[in-house]
Amino acid sequence: MTPEIMLVFGILILALFLFATGIIRMDVTALLILSVLALSGLITPSDAVSGFSNPAVITIWAMFILGAGLTRTNVAYQLGSLVIKYSGKGEARLIIMIMLVSGLLSAFMNNIGVAAIMLPVVMSVARRTSVLPSRLLMPMAFGTLLGGYTTLLTTINLLISDALNVHGFGSFKLFDFAPVGIFVLAGGIIFVGFFGRRLLPKRDLVKEAVGKDVNLRDLYSLQERTCIMKVPQGSVLAGKSIADTHLGSAAGLTVLALIHNGKTQLAPPPDTVLRENDKLIIEGRLERFKEFRGWLNLHIEPEEILYENLVSDKIKLAEIRISPDSTLINKTVYETNFRRQYGVNVLAVKRNSEIRRSRLPDYSLKEGDLLLIQGSEDKLDLIKDDSDFDSFNRIKNEELTITYHLQDRMFAVTVPHHSELINKSLSKSRMGAVFGLRVLAIFRNNESIIMPDPEVELLSGDKLLVEGRKDNLEILRGLQELEIEEEESPDLTALETDQVGLIEATLSPRSSLAGKTLREIHFRSKYGMQVIAIWREGRAYRTNLRDMPIKFGDGLLILGRRDKLQMLRSEPDFIVLSYGEKEIRQPKKAPLAAIIMAAVLIPVIFNLIPISIAAVTGAVLMILTNCLTIEDAYRSIDWRSVFLIAGMLPLGIAMQQTGAVELIAQQVSAWDTALGPWGIIIAVFIVTVVASTVIPTAALIVMLAPIMLTISSELGVSPYSFMMALSIAGSTSFLSPISHPANVLVMGPGGYQFSDYLKLGLPLTLVVMVIGLLMLSVFWPLYP
């Protein structure tokens, strides 16, 4: 084994480790491998970047655009809607029709896009026929995967066909996969429709949640945590807006409706002003609201806040500036989490002549911003050398604190002897969550605790140095004056009218919002609606939603005006689960889009032009004919997949050029005596299916394709048989939700657990393997 081969194997192991653990994003991992291969000299610079000009990669991104054109012009949606018209009401027939339509669409479109189109259609079918979504959604997702076996137009098949071409063999044609793929598709549909459906969970999320037949309001258990609160006469809150009360940010409560003089205003905007005797329909945990009682008896001290109150022998102040290339630019103070990441408090932000001291968590940082921070000497020394900041000045006098007018935002309060805050830690007292009030120091028995730890418990007589506005403490007292008028939950049927309604949505497979909170994406201000509940892993969450990171598969219950709700259907980051008229930009272009797609396929069928050229030409025609805009085209491309494949192709080149492929092939070929060619095919099939549960399938194919071709040459059998087998194995992603994005997409709406995928996915994998290999021996024999 040469040093070059050892180095390639080391890089290969590194790639597999990073893919399996997810420490680094898969596309970044691929680009890292590309860089390492080029810098180590294993491949030339031109070979390192050759993946970006690879015909398969070009075809893949062009097919994303073609699929988006069919979606935007309503072609794909109308085909999907045929399920509603002809499916009937029997469960077996429904499953067969859903899988058939999903499979046919995914033969010519990206299967993730097909799953996104079919999801709301299938949800509507489930509601109309009273068949549980858990009985239909997994078959729909699996149908999109089965359809990918039938044509060249999938990522896996394009990569396999390109590998054949690179190694001097003729590439597969458009429908070369069809003879085997159609039998696999039909066999998979028949198995699931008549036998496999018995393995699907009969999971009714609604009945499991509340024990009866209910609607969206009951599904998310809104009734359990709703009440009516009344603004009493003379309340501090009268004349304040809903936003000023901080009911959402402080108490984690949601205002569903406002009743004023007998008239109900649903989903009132944040700037709605409260009046005496107004009634609020509130949703959330009242226990959190009642925790504020401990703040009622805090005594505000009439004393001046001095510079010495903010510093000690260990705690100092400093001013830092955001550098031009800082990673913090365009992030809010909340997103940066200075206290956890840097161990310091941000007291104020200065931008030009503007000084920001209030609502800092939602303040977006820009290049050149000056931040006044408070922290220990060692933490400040670390920040001094941090590349995110290009200026650092220690504050040794109170001039700068006066410049920032900190005294306007600080006051002292005393914890009385009978306070409910006694023996509670700062974190449990939720001081940091209430109106942005923050305890900067505790003065106790002639001792000063500057920057107290969140777990420090409060004692009777403690004097707290609080950053915030005094009138916020008055508003807090006003919240305590709110009268809980009804012990029983109010009737929520009035939440939906002709103007206001509820919808259920989930993140789209390519959404950039996964892992972000509603606060971070500014959902309320951006979309003009509010999320009032989140369904995750079999239960509904209704409190503190603004700080809960959204995950793929979450169900979001959204309240808002119907015109706003309709606009959400056009957002690429969301899929609206309720069936309705989709937002279509160019419905009159549907015939033209269909003609363009046909014009792409026909010359490829007759081998007149390469598929990459046909696909790019079709994508350009979709844009030029206004079937979709150039912005839509760019958004439709899954760039993560493009960079993943382009970054991993050089690894295949390095394995080939160094002899690593030949070495592996020789070792595997030695098994021929014991296993035979079919035994090797079955072994590789099983390894590929299992590995695809933790490693991106496209990356696997890039690594395995040259090995399989070399093995076929060593054994003297048809390379097409081995590559067709690899195609079937690479497309068999049924064993877990993380095996394919289509599986993740249906996990939340279907209420599936990991084990549910294994129960149906394992026997379906065996069915696909048996049918696929049998048909392989007929249409693509080992010894033609």
Side-chain angles (χ1 to χ4, degrees):
M1 185 182 297
T2 65
E4 289 80 7
I5 293 179
M6 294 179 63
L7 181 56
V8 166
F9 282 153
I11 296 173
L12 175 61
I13 293 172
L14 172 64
L16 294 175
F17 172 76
L18 292 177
F19 283 136
T21 59
I23 296 175
I24 303 176
R25 277 179 40 154
M26 62 179 187
D27 49 343
V28 178
T29 295
L31 295 178
L32 174 64
I33 297 302
L34 180 155
S35 302
V36 172
L37 288 170
L39 294 175
S40 63
L42 289 173
I43 57 176
T44 64
S46 59
D47 283 338
V49 297
S50 62
F52 293 97
S53 60
N54 184 279
V57 175
I58 293 172
T59 305
I60 288 167
W61 63 253
M63 290 305 301
F64 278 120
I65 298 176
L66 287 169
L70 296 177
T71 301
R72 292 289 180 179
T73 55
N74 213 22
V75 174
Y77 189 72
Q78 288 298 327
L79 289 175
S81 297
L82 290 175
V83 178
I84 292 179
K85 187 175 182 180
Y86 296 110
S87 58
K89 293 187 177 180
E91 183 181 87
R93 185 175 177 181
L94 277 172
I95 289 175
I96 290 172
M97 284 296 296
I98 288 171
M99 294 186 71
L100 180 60
V101 173
S102 300
L104 291 177
L105 286 174
S106 62
F108 301 99
M109 294 176 59
N110 179 266
N111 43 26
I112 303 174
V114 173
I117 293 170
M118 291 295 294
L119 179 57
V121 176
V122 175
M123 290 295 289
S124 178
V125 170
R127 294 188 182 105
R128 180 176 64 84
T129 60
S130 299
V131 176
L132 298 175
S134 65
R135 309 286 290 176
L136 302 177
L137 289 176
M138 190 180 293
M140 181 271 289
F142 287 176
T144 64
L145 300 179
L146 289 169
Y149 293 116
T150 56
T151 68
L152 177 63
L153 303 178
T154 65
T155 299
I156 301 302
N157 293 349
L158 286 168
L159 290 174
I160 285 174
S161 182
D162 179 70
L164 282 166
N165 186 58
V166 169
H167 287 77
F169 301 98
S171 57
F172 284 122
K173 297 181 176 60
L174 181 62
F175 290 114
D176 280 351
F177 296 86
V180 176
I182 289 174
F183 279 96
V184 171
L185 173 63
I189 291 175
I190 292 172
F191 170 75
V192 176
F194 292 103
F195 306 102
R197 66 187 179 92
R198 305 178 192 280
L199 303 174
L200 288 166
K202 295 181 179 179
R203 188 166 295 124
D204 190 340
L205 298 182
V206 176
K207 288 187 177 181
E208 289 184 7
V210 293
K212 57 183 181 179
D213 293 319
V214 286
N215 52 29
L216 273 179
R217 297 184 298 276
D218 298 317
L219 171 61
Y220 284 84
S221 306
L222 295 185
Q223 203 79 28
E224 293 181 3
R225 290 182 179 170
T226 54
C227 66
I228 293 180
M229 291 184 177
K230 180 180 178 181
V231 181
Q233 292 186 355
S235 172
V236 175
L237 301 183
K240 303 289 186 182
S241 69
I242 293 177
D244 290 336
T245 67
H246 294 270
L247 271 170
S249 59
L253 304 177
T254 302
V255 179
L256 302 179
L258 171 68
I259 304 174
H260 178 71
N261 291 336
K263 296 182 178 180
T264 302
Q265 180 183 3
L266 299 176
D271 58 356
T272 302
V273 176
L274 301 178
R275 305 297 179 190
E276 294 179 350
N277 298 318
D278 279 355
K279 296 180 181 180
L280 303 173
I281 299 181
I282 300 292
E283 187 260 335
R285 292 179 58 186
L286 291 182
E287 294 85 352
R288 186 66 55 81
F289 178 76
K290 293 173 182 178
E291 289 178 2
F292 296 154
R293 289 181 299 176
W295 288 77
L296 276 174
N297 301 313
L298 292 177
H299 300 307
I300 299 178
E301 300 292 339
E303 61 183 49
E304 183 179 358
I305 306 302
L306 302 176
Y307 170 79
E308 288 77 12
N309 299 136
L310 299 175
V311 299
S312 66
D313 292 339
K314 297 181 179 179
I315 305 298
K316 303 296 181 182
L317 296 180
E319 184 185 56
I320 56 177
R321 185 173 63 194
I322 303 294
S323 64
D325 56 349
S326 174
T327 60
L328 307 181
I329 293 175
N330 295 326
K331 290 185 178 180
T332 64
V333 175
Y334 174 82
E335 291 171 341
T336 59
N337 203 339
F338 265 82
R339 183 65 186 262
R340 179 178 299 177
Q341 183 172 350
Y342 299 103
V344 300
N345 286 330
V346 178
L347 304 181
V349 179
K350 184 177 181 182
R351 180 177 298 164
N352 300 324
S353 60
E354 174 193 358
I355 297 176
R356 180 72 173 257
R357 299 178 300 276
S358 62
R359 298 186 179 180
L360 286 179
D362 296 326
Y363 195 61
S364 182
L365 298 176
K366 302 295 181 183
E367 174 190 348
D369 282 352
L370 294 172
L371 280 62
L372 183 63
I373 59 174
Q374 175 195 44
S376 62
E377 290 274 9
D378 56 335
K379 297 297 183 183
L380 293 180
D381 287 338
L382 291 175
I383 288 182
K384 183 178 180 181
D385 299 325
D386 197 297
S387 60
D388 282 323
F389 314 103
D390 60 5
S391 175
F392 179 92
N393 296 307
R394 290 187 182 275
I395 309 304
K396 297 183 179 180
N397 56 61
E398 58 181 302
E399 291 182 7
L400 196 53
T401 59
I402 295 175
T403 301
Y404 280 93
H405 304 289
L406 293 184
Q407 65 277 9
D408 298 339
R409 286 276 302 169
M410 295 184 185
F411 57 94
V413 297
T414 300
V415 180
H417 298 292
H418 55 279
S419 174
E420 295 186 17
L421 295 177
I422 294 175
N423 295 326
K424 281 189 177 181
S425 66
L426 291 176
S427 59
K428 290 182 179 179
S429 69
R430 300 191 70 254
M431 292 185 175
V434 179
F435 306 105
L437 297 179
R438 179 169 48 179
V439 177
L440 299 179
I442 300 176
F443 305 106
R444 174 186 299 165
N445 299 328
N446 297 322
E447 176 190 1
S448 298
I449 306 175
I450 311 296
M451 280 189 69
D453 187 271
E455 299 308 314
V456 171
E457 293 185 351
L458 299 175
L459 302 179
S460 173
D462 280 352
K463 184 180 294 185
L464 314 178
L465 176 60
V466 179
E467 181 215 5
R469 294 172 56 185
K470 293 181 182 179
D471 55 349
N472 278 344
L473 203 56
E474 293 300 319
I475 292 177
L476 179 59
R477 293 192 170 109
L479 287 177
Q480 292 298 316
E481 296 170 356
L482 288 174
E483 301 171 357
I484 302 177
E485 192 170 82
E486 294 189 8
E487 290 295 332
E488 297 183 0
S489 299
D491 181 14
L492 297 183
T493 57
L495 281 181
E496 296 186 88
T497 66
D498 292 339
Q499 290 76 37
V500 178
L502 292 168
I503 62 169
E504 190 179 18
T506 190
L507 291 181
S508 66
R510 301 189 191 102
S511 175
S512 60
L513 305 182
K516 296 182 179 180
T517 65
L518 295 173
R519 181 210 293 256
E520 291 170 347
I521 65 178
H522 307 286
F523 186 90
R524 182 74 183 267
S525 59
K526 181 177 180 180
Y527 298 105
M529 298 169 284
Q530 56 183 332
V531 177
I532 60 177
I534 295 177
W535 185 275
R536 176 179 297 167
E537 298 177 358
R539 61 161 293 189
Y541 295 85
R542 298 167 295 272
T543 305
N544 279 348
L545 301 181
R546 69 200 305 261
D547 294 323
M548 179 183 293
I550 309 172
K551 297 181 179 180
F552 286 116
D554 283 351
L556 310 179
L557 185 62
I558 302 172
L559 174 67
R561 294 184 58 84
R562 293 196 182 275
D563 56 344
K564 298 289 187 181
L565 297 177
Q566 190 65 20
M567 289 173 57
L568 193 65
R569 296 181 186 275
S570 64
E571 285 293 322
D573 285 311
F574 295 97
I575 298 173
V576 176
L577 300 182
S578 51
Y579 179 78
E581 192 63 31
K582 297 282 288 184
E583 187 272 341
I584 304 298
R585 298 188 179 183
Q586 297 292 344
K588 295 181 180 180
K589 299 283 187 178
L592 182 58
I595 292 173
I596 292 174
M597 192 65 188
V600 169
L601 298 178
I602 291 173
V604 174
I605 293 173
F606 293 101
N607 204 27
L608 299 177
I609 58 175
I611 188 173
S612 57
I613 301 301
V616 171
T617 304
V620 172
L621 289 176
M622 285 284 190
I623 297 169
L624 291 178
T625 56
N626 203 29
C627 290
L628 77 167
T629 65
I630 186 65
E631 290 78 14
D632 291 333
Y634 281 123
R635 279 198 299 265
S636 69
I637 300 173
D638 186 356
W639 293 108
R640 287 171 293 188
S641 296
V642 172
F643 282 104
L644 167 67
I645 297 167
M648 288 303 295
L649 283 171
L651 180 57
I653 296 174
M655 292 175 65
Q656 189 73 35
Q657 292 180 351
T658 59
V661 168
E662 183 71 23
L663 179 62
I664 296 173
Q666 289 174 357
Q667 297 298 318
V668 176
S669 299
W671 303 346
D672 180 47
T673 303
L675 301 178
W678 284 109
I680 293 175
I681 287 177
I682 293 172
V684 173
F685 188 105
I686 294 173
V687 169
T688 303
V689 170
V690 173
S692 66
T693 61
V694 293
I695 298 172
T697 308
L700 271 177
I701 297 302
V702 168
M703 291 183 283
L704 290 175
I707 297 174
M708 291 292 280
L709 286 170
T710 306
I711 292 174
S712 66
S713 297
E714 292 279 342
L715 299 179
V717 299
S718 170
Y720 297 101
S721 300
F722 269 53
M723 296 303 276
M724 189 65 70
L726 184 60
S727 165
I728 299 171
S731 301
T732 305
S733 303
F734 309 126
L735 296 182
S736 80
I738 60 176
S739 295
H740 197 277
N743 295 346
V744 178
L745 184 64
V746 300
M747 188 175 186
Y752 297 121
Q753 300 173 356
F754 269 71
S755 59
D756 294 326
Y757 291 87
L758 192 60
K759 290 176 183 176
L760 178 59
L762 183 57
L764 180 58
T765 297
L766 295 176
V767 169
V768 167
M769 183 175 72
V770 171
I771 295 176
L773 297 186
L774 283 175
M775 293 301 102
L776 191 66
S777 65
V778 174
F779 296 105
W780 298 94
L782 290 176
Y783 303 99

